[in-house]
Amino acid sequence: MPDFSDQDEFAAKAGKTALRGRLLAARRALPEESRRAAAGRVRRALGDLIAAERPAVATAYVPVGAEPGGAGLPDVLTRLLHPDGTLLLPVLLPDLDLDWAEYAGPASLTPTARGLREPSGRRRGPAAVADAQLVVVPALAVDRRGVRLGRGGGSYDRALARCGSALVVALLHDGELVGELPAEPHDRRVQGVITPAGGFVRVG
Ligand SMILES: Nc1nc2c(c(=O)[nH]1)N(C=O)[C@@H](CNc1ccc(C(=O)N[C@@H](CCC(=O)O)C(=O)O)cc1)CN2
Ligand SMILES: Nc1ncnc2c1ncn2[C@@H]1O[C@H](COP(=O)(O)OP(=O)(O)OP(=O)(O)O)[C@@H](O)[C@H]1O
């Protein structure tokens, strides 16, 4: 474990905030046509990964705004999973930790705070993520070591701490797999990323 001084931690936090602003602005500037094309490529790469890994339980999320994958991602994943497979989606808790509920079709999604769409079914509890063999996570960027930059709530840092040996994969746009991101001791790493141009790439 590296030794992080207070100054390094301060620099990492400030660096993350500045990077988030830049990355979100670049995503917002992506034209609709690029978003659609990127979503198709990301979904195809996810399909290949699911065919190879055959998870019985997977987690994902409903992409919003310019997030890679597009709003139809849960439906695509449901079709890709084994007929008996389960897709869990996150429900943001007041302390920004994540609960989980099974995806049961578009009618089971409800608009919630922060522009999210979340499942309204029975909550499985924050520990349910430990049942998944494949965990698909949102990210603004990931580096070659697997360090992930999220929205800044620490939601996935907490959720990923509960995962056992699951394959954790972040969905990115091209250009968001970078050389080195600021890292803090609590950051949980991912094992792979999917980008539209590069498909599935192992990191770390
Ligand atoms: N689609 C999605 N679902 C997710 C996440 C995510 O990053 N993306 N999360 C990851 O932890 C958790 C929720 N955390 C979030 C924290 C902040 C914002 C946010 O800043 N929203 C913008 C509006 C959306 C946009 O256009 O980007 C806002 O409130 O201004 C969203 C989700 C669980 N579900
Ligand atoms: N295990 C944890 N328990 C409680 N708070 C945590 C935990 N891990 C991280 N946090 C807090 O969450 C905040 C945001 O962390 P960070 O900037 O790394 O978020 P992120 O990884 O970019 O976002 P997210 O995980 O929501 O996508 C930090 O202030 C951190 O202290």
Side-chain angles (χ1 to χ4, degrees):
M1 195 71 176
D3 178 32
F4 287 86
S5 71
D6 284 354
Q7 225 171 7
D8 286 345
E9 286 208 29
F10 182 78
K13 276 195 209 307
K16 282 183 175 185
T17 304
L19 270 170
R20 278 189 195 103
R22 290 217 301 273
L23 289 158
L24 283 168
R27 280 191 176 181
R28 277 195 291 272
L30 279 175
E32 189 51 42
E33 184 47 38
S34 312
R35 296 182 192 191
R36 228 193 331 266
R41 286 167 172 234
V42 163
R43 290 170 181 193
R44 273 194 292 282
L46 256 179
D48 292 345
L49 192 62
I50 288 174
E53 299 287 328
R54 303 225 153 269
V57 179
T59 80
Y61 55 95
V62 188
V64 295
E67 288 182 326
L73 186 70
D75 278 324
V76 172
L77 285 172
T78 301
R79 284 197 292 274
L80 292 167
L81 286 172
H82 186 272
D84 298 329
T86 301
L87 178 64
L88 296 176
L89 299 178
V91 180
L92 190 63
L93 296 172
D95 67 354
L96 306 185
D97 202 346
L98 299 178
D99 203 336
W100 301 90
E102 190 170 338
Y103 179 59
S108 69
L109 294 179
T110 316
T112 55
R114 296 169 192 263
L116 300 174
R117 287 167 71 223
E118 298 184 325
S120 50
R122 183 175 69 83
R123 306 241 183 124
R124 302 283 182 96
V129 66
D131 297 337
Q133 294 84 42
L134 176 67
V135 174
V136 179
V137 301
L140 299 179
V142 170
D143 76 16
R144 293 277 170 191
R145 302 170 296 174
V147 173
R148 166 184 170 277
L149 182 71
R151 300 270 184 177
S155 307
Y156 276 93
D157 290 321
R158 282 175 270 182
L160 295 180
R162 302 176 183 119
C163 288
S165 55
L167 178 61
V168 181
V169 178
L171 305 186
L172 299 176
H173 284 292
D174 294 325
E176 295 174 344
L177 175 59
V178 300
E180 193 166 323
L181 287 169
E184 294 178 89
H186 65 249
D187 286 326
R188 294 282 161 167
R189 299 189 182 195
V190 303
Q191 282 96 52
V193 304
I194 289 177
T195 63
F200 175 65
V201 176
R202 277 194 186 268
V203 292

